[in-house]
Amino acid sequence: MEKFVPRSAQGAPVRCMAVSAHKDDVEMIALDGIFRCYENGGFAAAVLTDGGQCPRSGAYAAVSDADMAELRSAEQKRAAEAGRYEALWLFERTSAEVKRTAKEGGALADELARVLAGLPRLETLYLHNPFDSHPTHVAACEVALAAVNRLPEEMRPERILGCELWRDLDWLADEDKIALDVSGSDALAAKLMACFVSQNAVKRYDIASAARRAANATFYQSHAGDASTALIYAVDMTELAYGAGLAGFVDAKIGAFRRSVHVSGN
């Protein structure tokens, strides 16, 4: 694991943090925290995988996994500088390792728990959500929750949010949907996503993530004018740090969605 402290860090106590699977996930799932902390500091991030096995094409088609992992680390560090993060932890595991440890528990969750234990109690922890269609994202969510549950209760985050990425969360029942208003963040978001040149060359995450935030703002309310220009949807997972089980949590949210569907039947 490497701890990187950007030159742009402001020396503020960490109050918002993201734990992500991949290099460039943080800037999409946790834009809310990055934006809120940008002026006065207080945001940090941890990335679990090395990203060496990512899709590549064009100028990056012949790059080895090891070199790609190094390239993506440099991109993630540039984003940390651009976003004024207080610190960035790079765990550099493979996706297979993260998925395996999510099922078996073990060293990765222990290591992440030690990082969290060295910080003040977080106001908000941003994670992938358990409904995500990317298995490594779900595994990263599970590892992070395991790490949180290793902490003393008084050190566990005040709020844990599972944020959309590889699957929108607009389907959640209204009572389960957290709408994070990031209006005014477009320039910062563009600057952050521009750091990931190798990824934007293959898939335009920079364009797609901005379009999703704008679409969320418009489609948020059907009977009212737009109150914001950019929204990120999340689900509150704080209860999973205090004894609730993940399988039951998932079933409850899907059940609430089923009850919210407006279909007449016999």
Side-chain angles (χ1 to χ4, degrees), residues 42-245:
F43 181 83
V47 181
L48 301 186
T49 72
D50 60 12
Q53 295 178 306
C54 66
R56 64 204 74 172
S57 64
Y60 302 95
V63 177
S64 69
D65 286 358
D67 287 344
M68 182 57 76
E70 186 174 340
L71 173 63
R72 295 196 67 188
S73 291
E75 292 176 341
Q76 184 63 73
K77 290 175 182 178
R78 284 197 290 274
E81 289 281 8
R84 301 179 181 175
Y85 301 1
E86 300 298 338
L88 168 69
W89 287 268
L90 296 172
F91 284 78
E92 303 293 3
R93 300 302 211 277
T94 65
S95 291
E97 287 178 290
V98 173
K99 287 183 280 190
R100 182 171 63 250
T101 197
K103 293 180 179 179
E104 300 171 359
L108 181 55
D110 291 339
E111 198 172 354
L112 180 56
R114 287 193 290 272
V115 169
L116 296 173
L119 300 173
R121 186 187 185 196
L122 297 172
E123 294 177 11
T124 308
L125 177 62
Y126 301 88
L127 303 179
H128 295 286
N129 74 83
F131 309 101
D132 197 295
S133 62
H134 195 309
T136 310
H137 290 184
V138 176
C141 172
E142 292 177 300
V143 168
L145 290 171
V148 166
N149 278 277
R150 284 163 164 74
L151 300 174
E153 284 201 6
E154 65 273 14
M155 285 295 296
R156 295 175 190 175
E158 295 177 21
R159 186 170 70 155
I160 302 174
L161 296 179
C163 303
E164 59 189 357
L165 213 171
W166 272 100
R167 183 171 281 146
D168 296 346
L169 288 176
D170 61 343
W171 60 269
L172 286 168
D174 287 347
E175 65 267 23
D176 291 327
K177 191 185 307 180
I178 305 295
L180 302 171
D181 191 340
V182 291
S183 301
S185 68
D186 289 354
L188 174 60
K191 181 167 70 170
L192 293 169
M193 295 305 295
C195 296
F196 299 98
V197 177
S198 69
Q199 297 309 288
N200 293 333
V202 181
K203 294 182 74 67
R204 295 308 304 263
Y205 292 118
D206 54 340
I207 295 173
S209 57
R212 172 186 280 166
R213 293 189 295 270
N216 285 347
T218 293
F219 289 106
Y220 181 53
Q221 296 286 349
S222 61
H223 292 79
D226 294 351
S228 62
T229 58
L231 292 179
I232 296 170
Y233 290 139
V235 60
D236 191 330
M237 303 195 302
T238 310
E239 66 189 81
L240 297 175
Y242 297 94

